[in-house]
Amino acid sequence: MRNILVTGGAGFIGSNFIRMVLSEQNDCFVVNLDKLTYAGNLENLHGYLEHKNHKFVKGDICDEKLIAKLIEEYKIDSIINFAAESHVDRSIEEPKVFIDTNVTGTLTLLEAARDNKLERFVQVSTDEVYGSLGTEGKFTEQTPLSPNSPYSASKAAADHLVGAFGHTWGLKYNITRCSNNYGPYQFPEKMIPLMINNAMNDKELPVYGDGLYVRDWLYVYDHCTAIWKVLTKAKPREIYNIGGCNEKTNLEVIGIILDRLKKPKSLIKHVTDRPGHDRRYAIDADKMMTELDWAPSVNFEQGIEKTIDWYLENDKWLSNVVSGEYGKYYDSMYSGR
Ligand code: NAD
Ligand code: TYD
């Protein structure tokens, strides 16, 4: 039996990962440590909270004593660190909490992993640490880090710390750097669920700038299968890029959403751009595919169809998430923009 500590398991990707592990692996016990910030939601684990191989603990990855206690009590062998402040626009408004969680929190987990000689530490990072691309080329694992936003700078700082723990103390780590994820249970501050929610409610779709920014979209389930492969098959101290080979402009993605929901293009409203907006991300995932025999299970057209259908079928989840604080966030970010 493996005993893994998953942080941020009530968020978008972490909850998809835990549901996958509990459904597909019989010999893995998951301790899920999550602070339940605005982005953490126990409804994301509906049907799995009471699973015999799952223990949810509300807490902060900066809490050294709690982490030491969990590692001892549950005989943890590996940590997968999903917990983070994850939204670029919020990092531009309020960077400090990004340093607290993404840098200091990761450091706290690293110290615990080192002191307890854990078998593996998997840091879930992002392609945004590489910066922005022009019209050509892709990020490889050798691309130098050149982050542009407070969010990506905090993730790059964490990646450097993880590498330093490997170099200095021999920590057995892996770093994964994935492209933009989409799929069920994503908080509607991110582009795809925000546009789906607005289109479902006949609200304007706020497109930053010219809308020709490019992201390389990865279906969340495929990201989760990749992380499982890294945890169970990768050699220590290797970095893996994970991408879906689905480069699309934001306007292309929004066009697909509007077509599927049978809503008019007139809902699109170009608004003031994000400061320092990265133009293009694209991932070369060749190492992941050849060394770990991983491949995405869906293309973008299949993944977005599943995603839109999920939001349509789970309108109660969506209406709960957008009630309360979300309205204030939306107004402060978009009104008069
Ligand atoms: P999310 O914002 O949906 O979830 C983050 C989770 O972390 C939430 O449940 C939150 O409550 C928890 N959390 C935040 N601060 C915490 C703290 N101090 N202690 C414990 N828990 C805390 O994020 P996500 O989209 O699921 O992203 C997960 C990871 O993947 C992040 O590390 C992010 O940087 C990375 N990533 C995400 C994407 C993407 O497209 N969503 C792309 C690349 C990388
Ligand atoms: P986002 O989902 O915030 O991910 P990231 O910035 O980490 O890539 O944004 C994806 C793209 O969509 C990015 O180019 C910014 C753009 N975008 C909009 O045009 N309007 C919006 O309301 C949001 C949230 C994003």
Side-chain angles (χ1 to χ4, degrees):
M1 191 80 170
R2 295 194 77 113
N3 297 310
I4 62 175
L5 175 61
V6 171
T7 70
F12 165 49
I13 306 173
S15 64
N16 275 283
F17 181 78
I18 290 177
R19 285 199 312 277
M20 179 195 79
V21 170
L22 296 178
S23 312
E24 298 178 14
Q25 308 294 332
N26 296 322
D27 58 350
C28 185
F29 188 85
V30 179
V31 178
N32 173 4
L33 174 64
D34 195 297
K35 190 177 171 182
L36 297 182
T37 67
Y38 77 92
N41 182 357
L42 289 179
E43 283 182 35
N44 296 359
L45 291 159
H46 176 74
Y48 290 85
L49 268 179
E50 305 303 327
H51 193 287
K52 66 176 177 27
N53 286 346
H54 179 230
K55 171 73 187 170
F56 176 76
V57 179
K58 184 176 177 198
D60 193 326
I61 58 167
C62 299
D63 185 341
E64 197 183 313
K65 286 203 181 105
L66 174 62
I67 289 154
K69 179 175 161 282
L70 293 177
I71 290 176
E72 195 192 333
E73 188 176 342
Y74 293 99
K75 299 189 172 35
I76 295 297
D77 55 69
S78 307
I79 294 177
I80 309 179
N81 183 27
F82 290 95
E85 288 293 331
S86 67
H87 190 39
V88 173
D89 292 317
R90 288 185 195 251
S91 81
I92 294 167
E93 297 295 307
E94 253 178 278
K96 187 174 178 302
V97 67
F98 285 72
I99 303 305
D100 296 342
T101 288
N102 301 1
V103 185
T104 309
T106 302
L107 174 65
T108 310
L109 294 170
L110 285 167
E111 288 179 324
R114 175 200 60 194
D115 295 350
N116 289 282
K117 299 189 173 44
L118 295 196
E119 283 169 32
R120 199 58 58 102
F121 185 95
V122 179
Q123 173 69 1
V124 180
S125 187
T126 165
D127 60 356
E128 300 190 27
V129 297
Y130 297 123
S132 183
L133 291 165
T135 49
E136 298 293 313
K138 293 185 180 208
F139 298 130
T140 71
E141 289 81 0
Q142 281 73 46
T143 304
L145 304 200
S146 182
N148 288 320
S149 70
Y151 163 67
S152 54
S154 69
K155 295 294 289 186
D159 286 11
H160 282 309
L161 280 172
V162 175
F165 270 65
H167 187 80
T168 310
W169 289 289
L171 180 80
K172 291 184 187 160
Y173 72 82
N174 294 106
I175 298 172
T176 60
R177 296 188 179 132
C178 66
S179 54
N180 287 59
N181 283 221
Y182 68 103
Y185 300 101
Q186 187 168 30
F187 190 82
E189 64 186 351
K190 304 287 174 12
M191 201 263 277
I192 287 184
L194 185 145
M195 300 300 172
I196 294 174
N197 181 46
N198 283 16
M200 278 168 65
N201 292 292
D202 299 303
K203 279 178 68 178
E204 283 174 342
L205 309 189
V207 174
Y208 297 167
D210 63 7
L212 298 178
Y213 294 85
V214 174
R215 298 294 185 260
D216 178 356
W217 293 97
L218 173 65
Y219 189 60
V220 64
Y221 177 80
D222 291 333
H223 183 197
C224 295
T225 62
I227 289 177
W228 183 257
K229 287 230 165 179
V230 169
L231 175 72
T232 54
K233 303 241 179 318
K235 282 190 285 188
R237 292 184 277 282
E238 292 288 336
I239 295 173
Y240 291 91
N241 283 354
I242 308 170
C245 302
N246 289 305
E247 278 188 61
K248 299 264 179 267
T249 66
N250 295 336
L251 282 175
E252 282 172 324
V253 173
I254 290 165
I256 294 172
I257 294 171
L258 287 172
D259 284 350
R260 179 100 190 142
L261 291 174
K262 299 192 173 43
K263 299 287 179 171
K265 294 261 186 327
S266 56
L267 284 177
I268 292 174
K269 184 186 174 211
H270 288 266
V271 300
T272 308
D273 211 343
R274 170 189 284 171
H277 198 168
D278 284 342
R279 191 64 169 167
R280 174 172 167 258
Y281 304 140
I283 282 268
D284 177 343
D286 199 49
K287 180 174 173 185
M288 193 65 221
M289 293 183 179
T290 51
E291 279 187 17
L292 298 184
D293 193 27
W294 170 85
S297 66
V298 291
N299 63 28
F300 186 72
E301 285 65 30
Q302 296 164 321
I304 194 75
E305 199 171 300
K306 279 164 170 282
T307 303
I308 296 170
D309 291 352
W310 185 87
Y311 282 94
L312 286 170
E313 283 156 21
N314 291 273
D315 52 334
K316 191 156 179 303
W317 180 91
L318 197 52
S319 59
N320 285 346
V321 166
V322 299
S323 65
E325 282 300 309
Y326 180 80
K328 278 194 214 149
Y329 165 79
Y330 195 90
D331 288 346
S332 76
M333 197 59 86
Y334 294 98
S335 69
R337 186 167 181 159

